[in-house]
Amino acid sequence: MTATFDFAPLLPAGLPAPVARWTGLARYSFIGGNNDPDQVPVEGLIEAVNAVLKREGRTLATYGLASGPQGYRPLRDFLTAKLKRDAGMDCVADDILIVSGSLQALDLVNQSLLARGDTVIIERETYQGSLNRLTRLGVNTVGIPLDHEGMRMDALAAALADLRQRGITPKYIYTIPTVQNPTGTIMPESRRAELLKLSQQYGVPIFEDDCYADLIWDGQRPPAIHAMDRTGSVIHIGSFSKSIAPALRVGFIVAPWQMLSRMLALKTDAGSGALEQMVLAEYCAPHFSSHVPKLTRGLRAKLDTLMEALNEQFGTAAEFDDPRGGIFLWVKLPDQVDTLKLYQAALAAGVAINPGPEWCTDKAYAGSRLRLCFASPSHQQIREGVAVLAEVCCREFGVPARSANVEKRGRI
Ligand SMILES: Cc1ncc(COP(=O)(O)O)c(C=O)c1O
């Protein structure tokens, strides 16, 4: 059908720009938070779906199953035990709201706390999804630099003092403390204690986004900030996207009832997908603890392949730290490389990368940085994709001048 009706005059002011149609994944895709297709526990999920549907399928006749609006009760029970065991958190099923991916958690927290013109504190390098939401809401962001142990507390203290002097109380301090996106840092327990102290000193709550916390190579994580808090001022969110599969769209919020009750009032979708919640609860209770070490071993091997490929193709031109977990490598290229331009040129050659400025409050600082997701491409795609990226980068910016002992300039 050829559409002749014009909706344009009907659209209200302030809508986000329209999205472009999806044209498929790039041949070498290092973008997004996608996971390793070979690590999705397909057989276990099939068994789980059969078992849970046979046993409880009839409950699908009721919105919210028989569990009420906060989500499938066995999944919240699994989370209660898991968060206690892994993150030291003391919470009960009633403190948890299951949501449609932690993106919905970001929306609900933001909608319940933020108004246009508000200020929030975030990490200078941060998740693009969080940054874009704040920009769209007209919220001012103060970016705090990171070091090898996450958000720098001296810089946070200075920012809080500066804002107070200007009569501004930020609405929250947003942090990804456990395998930070994109830098991969893990904030140690002592720094988490400092962060809590500052948050309490200035009366600013902490918004803890912990969606990568299961993906640590040695499995050792510090307690969640939520676990160390004694005042109920931490909102904690997590997700099954990184540990099981992102397309399931299941995340969760742990927060005091004062905030959960507000978020529930804003969550007008009559509940997140029930089948996904049922399957996850059925699968995770017996299998989560053995699934995760297998997943992280596979991810670590892919990271090794990526770092080797970068060393081989870019030599010293590509600088990066060896992250302790996660699915991303945050890479610094020489200053003359503009990764927004590199992104366009690489895409034309079949390689998709995330340009640094989209993941940072300071666009100039991140101008020659990029984020590479190593979870979803195969080992071979990683090697080939990095080689193509190096060719394109050499052609466009003259670096790497040499790679894999081959003079690159002028080859393509
Ligand atoms: C830090 C962070 N928070 C939240 C999300 C959203 O994840 P999901 O909605 O799949 O749970 C992501 C996804 O990549 C992320 O990196």
Side-chain angles (χ1 to χ4, degrees):
M1 182 186 68
T2 316
T4 52
F5 187 82
D6 184 13
F7 283 92
L10 308 177
L11 302 176
L15 276 189
V19 299
R21 252 192 222 285
W22 191 65
T23 51
L25 288 178
R27 179 154 183 220
Y28 303 108
S29 178
F30 295 97
I31 59 170
N34 297 319
N35 221 318
D36 185 341
D38 294 335
Q39 299 274 2
V40 176
V42 176
E43 290 306 321
L45 294 177
I46 291 171
E47 277 172 32
V49 80
N50 281 328
V52 76
L53 276 185
K54 277 190 188 136
R55 197 178 64 239
E56 297 174 33
R58 287 162 60 84
T59 60
L60 285 166
T62 314
Y63 284 101
L65 307 160
S67 293
Q70 283 180 243
Y72 184 52
R73 179 66 192 239
L75 186 59
R76 288 188 283 137
D77 288 339
F78 165 74
L79 282 169
T80 303
K82 176 201 179 305
L83 292 171
K84 175 75 188 163
R85 185 189 63 229
D86 297 345
M89 284 168 59
D90 273 318
C91 61
V92 294
D94 281 350
D95 300 326
I96 300 174
L97 170 59
I98 305 290
V99 290
S100 304
S102 51
L103 280 172
Q104 189 177 40
L106 290 171
D107 283 334
L108 292 174
V109 172
N110 286 343
Q111 281 169 40
S112 51
L113 284 174
L114 302 181
R116 185 165 289 278
D118 278 345
T119 296
V120 300
I121 293 183
I122 61 177
E123 286 150 348
R124 178 174 61 180
E125 288 103 314
T126 192
Y127 172 46
Q128 184 197 32
S130 304
L131 206 50
N132 287 350
R133 280 171 164 69
L134 295 167
T135 308
R136 206 180 303 144
L137 288 169
V139 167
N140 304 313
T141 52
V142 178
I144 307 294
L146 300 111
D147 61 17
H148 296 286
E149 299 191 332
M151 191 193 286
R152 269 181 35 206
M153 289 303 115
D154 58 332
L156 175 63
L160 284 164
D162 173 60
L163 288 169
R164 176 175 278 180
Q165 212 181 16
R166 293 192 279 133
I168 299 168
T169 307
K171 281 289 182 72
Y172 59 63
I173 302 165
Y174 172 73
T175 178
I176 311 165
T178 321
V179 191
Q180 208 264 351
N181 180 2
T183 60
T185 54
I186 298 180
M187 189 186 285
E189 185 170 351
S190 55
R191 193 174 286 194
R192 291 171 191 237
E194 276 182 78
L195 172 55
L196 269 170
K197 211 163 140 199
L198 282 170
S199 118
Q200 277 148 25
Q201 186 184 335
Y202 284 89
V204 181
I206 295 171
F207 183 4
E208 175 177 43
D209 185 344
D210 232 15
C211 70
Y212 297 98
D214 295 309
L215 307 185
I216 301 180
W217 311 143
D218 64 8
Q220 301 295 314
R221 58 154 300 164
I225 300 170
H226 185 284
M228 301 168 66
D229 170 44
R230 299 282 162 267
T231 66
S233 64
V234 179
I235 296 175
H236 177 101
I237 66 171
S239 177
F240 288 93
S241 289
K242 313 302 168 181
S243 52
I244 306 288
L248 292 174
R249 309 308 305 130
V250 181
F252 57 92
I253 305 174
V254 186
W257 179 245
Q258 187 191 20
M259 287 308 300
L260 274 192
S261 58
R262 295 290 178 166
M263 294 190 242
L264 267 167
L266 289 161
K267 191 176 186 299
T268 53
D269 57 6
S272 296
L275 188 55
E276 293 85 341
Q277 298 182 51
M278 293 163 93
V279 173
L280 277 174
E282 194 76 13
Y283 173 78
C284 288
H287 298 304
F288 192 85
S289 310
S290 53
H291 163 70
V292 165
K294 267 190 270 162
L295 170 64
T296 52
R297 266 199 304 280
L299 292 175
R300 173 72 223 189
K302 284 190 168 182
L303 170 62
D304 286 339
T305 299
L306 176 61
M307 293 194 300
E308 269 166 40
L310 284 167
N311 284 332
E312 201 178 298
Q313 297 294 336
F314 282 84
T316 53
E319 294 171 40
F320 46 84
D321 288 329
D322 182 350
R324 285 176 52 201
I327 55 175
F328 303 119
L329 193 66
W330 182 236
V331 180
K332 167 80 176 78
L333 294 176
D335 289 345
Q336 73 260 37
V337 178
D338 174 342
T339 52
L340 286 168
K341 290 196 180 132
L342 177 63
Y343 159 75
Q344 297 290 353
L347 197 58
V351 183
I353 59 165
N354 284 127
E358 294 178 358
W359 304 81
C360 195
T361 56
D362 181 341
K363 307 300 175 202
Y365 170 83
S368 54
R369 290 177 158 82
L370 68 151
R371 194 192 74 162
L372 297 172
C373 171
F374 52 81
S376 75
S378 66
H379 287 270
Q380 191 181 345
Q381 284 171 325
I382 292 173
R383 280 188 221 100
E384 290 176 7
V386 170
V388 176
L389 184 65
E391 296 272 350
V392 173
C393 194
C394 176
R395 185 186 69 209
E396 299 291 320
F397 301 102
V399 286
R402 283 183 158 278
S403 73
N405 294 327
V406 177
E407 184 74 40
K408 284 263 177 185
R409 197 183 290 275
R411 273 183 59 207
I412 53 173

